[in-house]
């Protein structure tokens, strides 16, 4: 089975642009989206979004999360302050999220980075990408910043 996964931390707002968030945080995002950039009626996407992302293959989810949070921890207070500000917007929900996205696919070539299990050709054991956990530092960051954890898993096998 092939597993593709990535992790991101995002801040969302219907009113404040990702550019404004960047100025307030002093951190350049890896990705942004602009509210209504694909469609204005209805607005798609529904909000502006500022993201720090890890798409590095071969890492467990907790390792990807560590990469993202290592970049964000020096700015925790500013992130928490901005989340509080965004939460005061009318109708604001889920302004901060740590998102885990995983796609389970049929394996095609042995040895692909995302294969789960042993590499039969070399006899080496690959890391178990199915197992992951959140340590106390991650939970504390989520609590301090008011972020939620959202895990989306998609079965793309035949």
């Amino acid at each position: 089975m092939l597993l593709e996964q990535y992790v991101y931390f995002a801040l969302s707002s219907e009113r404040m642009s990702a550019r404004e968030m960047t100025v307030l945080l002093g951190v350049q995002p890896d990705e942004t989206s602009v509210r209504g950039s694909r469609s204005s009626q209805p607005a798609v996407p529904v909000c502006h979004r500022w993201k720090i992302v890890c798409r590095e293959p071969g890492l467990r989810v907790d390792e990807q999360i560590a990469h993202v949070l290592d970049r964000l921890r020096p700015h925790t207070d500013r992130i928490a302050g901005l989340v509080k500000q965004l939460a005061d917007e009318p109708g604001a929900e889920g302004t901060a999220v740590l998102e885990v996205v995983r796609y389970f696919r049929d394996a095609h070539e042995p040895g692909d980075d995302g294969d789960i299990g042993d590499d039969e050709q070399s006899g080496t054991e690959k890391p178990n990408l199915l197992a992951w956990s959140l340590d106390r530092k991650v939970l504390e960051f989520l609590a301090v910043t008011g972020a939620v954890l959202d895990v989306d898993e998609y079965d793309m096998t035949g």
Side-chain angles (χ1 to χ4, degrees):
M1 177 178 288
L2 181 66
L3 174 59
E4 296 174 46
Q5 59 191 17
Y6 64 96
V7 168
Y8 65 85
F9 180 84
L11 299 173
S12 302
S13 171
E14 287 188 14
R15 297 178 183 209
M16 185 181 293
S17 71
R19 181 174 293 170
E20 291 171 292
M21 292 180 212
T22 300
V23 169
L24 290 171
L25 294 174
V27 179
Q28 285 296 322
D30 296 324
E31 297 176 11
T32 62
S33 61
V34 176
R35 183 177 193 267
S37 60
R38 286 184 261 163
S39 170
S40 59
Q41 294 297 325
V44 177
V46 297
C47 59
H48 301 287
R49 197 161 247 202
W50 178 98
K51 291 183 185 180
I52 299 294
V53 184
C54 180
R55 296 179 188 276
E56 194 170 327
L59 296 180
R60 292 184 325 265
V61 167
D62 48 345
E63 293 170 321
Q64 290 179 326
I65 290 171
H67 281 272
V68 168
L69 295 191
D70 285 348
R71 292 175 57 196
L72 294 174
R73 275 198 187 92
H75 313 283
T76 300
D77 292 339
R78 280 181 283 179
I79 293 168
L82 180 54
V83 169
K84 287 179 185 171
Q85 182 180 342
L86 296 175
D88 288 340
E89 291 180 358
E93 284 187 36
T95 57
V97 63
L98 179 61
E99 184 81 35
V100 176
V101 182
R102 298 164 47 116
Y103 296 93
F104 297 89
R105 303 181 191 282
D106 290 326
H108 40 289
E109 294 294 322
D112 282 341
D113 284 344
D115 279 351
I116 298 169
D118 298 342
D119 184 345
E120 295 171 12
Q121 290 180 346
S122 69
T124 60
E125 187 175 319
K126 290 187 164 206
N128 182 356
L129 298 181
L130 293 175
W132 59 279
S133 64
L134 299 177
D135 64 24
R136 186 175 309 279
K137 291 190 315 186
V138 173
L139 297 174
E140 287 171 357
F141 179 85
L142 294 175
V144 168
T145 61
V148 298
L149 173 66
D150 184 30
V151 180
D152 294 339
E153 297 185 326
Y154 302 96
D155 181 356
M156 308 300 279
T157 60

